[in-house]
Amino acid sequence: MEKLKVLIADDELGMRKGTAKVLDKYLVALPGMEEPVGFDISEASNGLIAKEMLETDHFDLILLDYKMPELSGLEVLDCIRDSQIDILTIMITAYASLEVAVSATKNGAFDFLAKPFSPEELKSVVEKASRHLVAHRQAKRLSEEKRKVRFQFISVLAHELKSPLAAVDSYLQLLKKHVAGEELSKYDHIVERSLVRLDGMRRMILDLLDLTRIESGQKKRELTQIEISAIALKAIETYKVIAHERNIDISLHSETPVHFYADAGEMEIIFNNLISNAVKYNRDKGRVDIYISTDDKHLYLSVSDTGIGMTPEEKEKLFGEFVRIKNEDTHKILGSGLGLSIMKKIVSFYNGKIDVESQRNVGTVFKVVLTRLTEDENK
Amino acid sequence: MKADINTAQKKQILIADDDPDILEQMRFRLEAWGFDVCAVESQKKAEEKIKAGKPALAIYDLMMENQDSGFVLSYLTKKMYPDVPVILITSVTSETGFHFDSSTEETREWIKADAVLDKDIRYEQLESEINRLLKG
Ligand SMILES: Nc1ncnc2c1ncn2[C@@H]1O[C@H](COP(=O)(O)OP(=O)(O)O)[C@@H](O)[C@H]1O
């Protein structure tokens, strides 16, 4: 069981023992904690001792008597503030004087308790302080986790941007030193590779901008009634040439028109990503089939291909940022690994979900379900 | 065309690396140095090539579809053609701090390669290694 460390600083022995007795057996159930929290009690018989204990040991909570010999409660409070000790203070005053309470809270006390107090009053103040403490810690933990994720993201990003730069750099070195002699056509292939890597880099930066705009909420969402199959057709048009080069057939199966309340840009991103992947990870002479349907609650999209597919282990990793699956079939295909992360984020705006069914060397089906939102819900 | 004159005696070098850019740069350099280059991007394809014919020298990336692709290929090459020199390219040193080199007889025996070069390829070093190994 987790215990909060409490220091009772009071020159009256009776007060210390009475308070300790109440808190010793007291358990508080707190939100977000599986088990109730108990208290581990220490005592200080004057302000000076309290100060020394605070300096050598860590406490979560201090019940601090206002009037003590050697060092008063307010002076101890000053020490806590000056040394930036991470502790919550409950000031105990002999008379419920407003003045003392105000100056104590001004100096960083969390709450105060007026003597004499009942066990119930004590418990209630301590419970409130514990809640605050635990919530504060959870928030701190969460922000640290966020920082870590962010840091990870940035280091992967740096790596992903460095690798095309390094490639283009070394190709240019070959050119600069005329390694293959003076005949320009000898360099065609490395120039082509440089352009391909630069294009990949450009796309990655665009994807990254999309992702950050969407995640930060900077991108203005314009929700209107739109016709979904028109957007699908537009996306198909974009990838038709690449598909045609590899004899890949793209068909749209849709009851037209399909109306849905959404942001047109977001729907384009979904279709572009799904269709682009279905073509990229397909085989020559393969197929891509796009299905669109609706009912009064949902919009259903599915994009299936006859491509390289994925193993169950590969499928698990799919939606991570910058995740690209490495195998014999994929290593020549370029991508940022951000497309599906962006899609996942967008789908979450529509309380939706994405399912993937895939079989290695057979093909993949991405199924997206979006929930119809009323105009009110979207605000 | 002066290159055509030596086509007949051009020595073939087999290279396997799963990074298409490294593969391309290597091919480019080796061709400029006057070799006939066979470049493949996987352990599997390299195995097929070895079985199909004997190269003058082979250069393998250590990690391809398997962590130890380069070791496997070195072993296979030496088993079929004990006299074909093998150069292993590895990023093991820079990425994990784990270090080995092929300067001792013992490690050469163990990893089956005649030279080990860092992935951050220094081409002068590669050229001198190739020349050294092909002379011997
Ligand atoms: N239709 C598909 N078939 C097989 N693999 C796919 C398909 N769609 C996505 N993937 C795999 O998921 C990975 C992540 O996809 P995505 O986030 O769109 O990034 P990328 O830019 O690499 O395509 C891809 O690298 C690919 O390995």
Side-chain angles (χ1 to χ4, degrees), chain A residues 208-372:
Chain A
L208 199 63
L209 284 175
D210 267 349
L211 184 68
T212 47
R213 260 192 231 124
I214 288 168
E215 294 231 315
S216 67
Q218 264 179 38
K219 198 175 157 119
K220 274 228 176 71
R221 305 185 65 212
E222 264 180 53
L223 296 160
T224 48
Q225 279 295 340
I226 52 176
E227 209 279 288
I228 298 291
S229 52
I231 291 186
L233 279 173
K234 201 167 134 194
I236 292 171
E237 205 54 46
T238 311
Y239 295 100
K240 217 171 196 161
V241 180
I242 312 171
H244 188 73
E245 276 172 12
R246 300 178 50 204
N247 285 311
I248 294 168
D249 201 40
I250 310 180
S251 326
L252 175 65
H253 312 264
S254 161
E255 27 169 297
T256 40
V258 182
H259 292 289
F260 192 66
Y261 188 69
D263 178 281
E266 290 170 0
M267 291 301 122
E268 276 170 29
I269 292 177
I270 293 182
F271 279 111
N272 280 335
N273 274 307
L274 287 178
I275 297 171
S276 143
N277 281 348
V279 172
K280 259 199 316 197
Y281 301 105
N282 218 316
R283 303 199 172 282
D284 292 356
K285 299 192 188 122
R287 295 194 49 77
V288 175
D289 287 282
I290 303 154
Y291 292 88
I292 304 174
S293 63
T294 45
D295 57 28
D296 50 345
K297 286 219 175 68
H298 301 104
L299 173 71
Y300 304 92
L301 314 173
S302 107
V303 176
S304 67
D305 64 62
T306 54
I308 61 173
M310 284 167 259
T311 64
E313 298 82 58
E314 290 169 342
K315 207 179 88 175
E316 287 299 306
K317 299 187 234 159
L318 209 58
F319 287 94
E321 271 149 16
F322 293 110
V323 166
R324 307 209 59 227
I325 288 157
K326 260 190 100 172
N327 60 40
E328 264 237 334
D329 291 318
T330 58
H331 83 272
K332 276 193 181 154
I333 304 170
L334 289 175
S336 64
L338 286 172
L340 290 177
S341 318
I342 296 172
M343 255 183 60
K344 191 174 79 177
K345 189 75 205 175
I346 291 177
V347 167
S348 78
F349 292 157
Y350 297 86
N351 295 330
K353 64 177 177 130
I354 310 175
D355 270 327
V356 188
E357 285 162 25
S358 188
Q359 211 178 332
R360 190 82 176 89
N361 293 323
V362 176
T364 306
V365 188
F366 277 88
K367 289 183 180 166
V368 178
V369 183
L370 304 182
T371 313
R372 270 189 198 282

Side-chain angles (χ1 to χ4, degrees), chain A residues 85-253:
Chain A
I85 296 171
D86 181 23
I87 195 169
L88 223 52
T89 307
I90 296 170
M91 213 58 181
I92 297 173
T93 59
Y95 316 96
S97 116
L98 191 63
E99 217 173 295
V100 172
V102 167
S103 81
T105 33
K106 244 193 207 148
N107 282 302
F110 171 74
D111 208 348
F112 68 97
L113 205 54
K115 271 187 202 174
F117 48 80
S118 68
E120 272 58 47
E121 283 170 316
L122 173 64
K123 283 181 181 173
S124 134
V125 167
V126 168
E127 185 194 335
K128 199 168 122 199
S130 308
R131 267 179 202 284
H132 179 85
L133 217 77
V134 168
H136 184 71
R137 279 190 196 156
Q138 277 167 349
K140 206 166 138 191
R141 211 174 301 146
L142 217 66
S143 85
E144 248 157 52
E145 229 155 75
K146 261 195 190 152
R147 231 192 56 218
K148 244 191 236 153
V149 169
R150 213 178 122 73
F151 181 73
Q152 225 172 22
F153 181 80
I154 291 172
S155 53
V156 176
L157 173 66
H159 179 83
E160 293 297 319
L161 290 175
K162 214 176 87 188
S163 104
L165 266 189
V168 172
D169 185 304
S170 20
Y171 285 135
L172 284 177
Q173 296 291 347
L174 294 175
L175 262 168
K176 185 182 169 193
K177 293 180 191 147
H178 299 210
V179 168
E182 302 305 318
E183 201 184 315
L184 263 183
S185 66
K186 290 223 164 119
Y187 298 92
D188 283 356
H189 192 224
I190 65 169
V191 170
E192 186 54 39
R193 277 300 302 173
S194 301
L195 291 174
V196 167
R197 291 307 303 257
L198 284 180
D199 185 48
M201 196 166 167
R202 190 180 57 89
R203 275 174 213 232
M204 179 174 303
I205 292 170
L206 291 180
D207 278 355
L208 199 63
L209 284 175
D210 267 349
L211 184 68
T212 47
R213 260 192 231 124
I214 288 168
E215 294 231 315
S216 67
Q218 264 179 38
K219 198 175 157 119
K220 274 228 176 71
R221 305 185 65 212
E222 264 180 53
L223 296 160
T224 48
Q225 279 295 340
I226 52 176
E227 209 279 288
I228 298 291
S229 52
I231 291 186
L233 279 173
K234 201 167 134 194
I236 292 171
E237 205 54 46
T238 311
Y239 295 100
K240 217 171 196 161
V241 180
I242 312 171
H244 188 73
E245 276 172 12
R246 300 178 50 204
N247 285 311
I248 294 168
D249 201 40
I250 310 180
S251 326
L252 175 65
H253 312 264

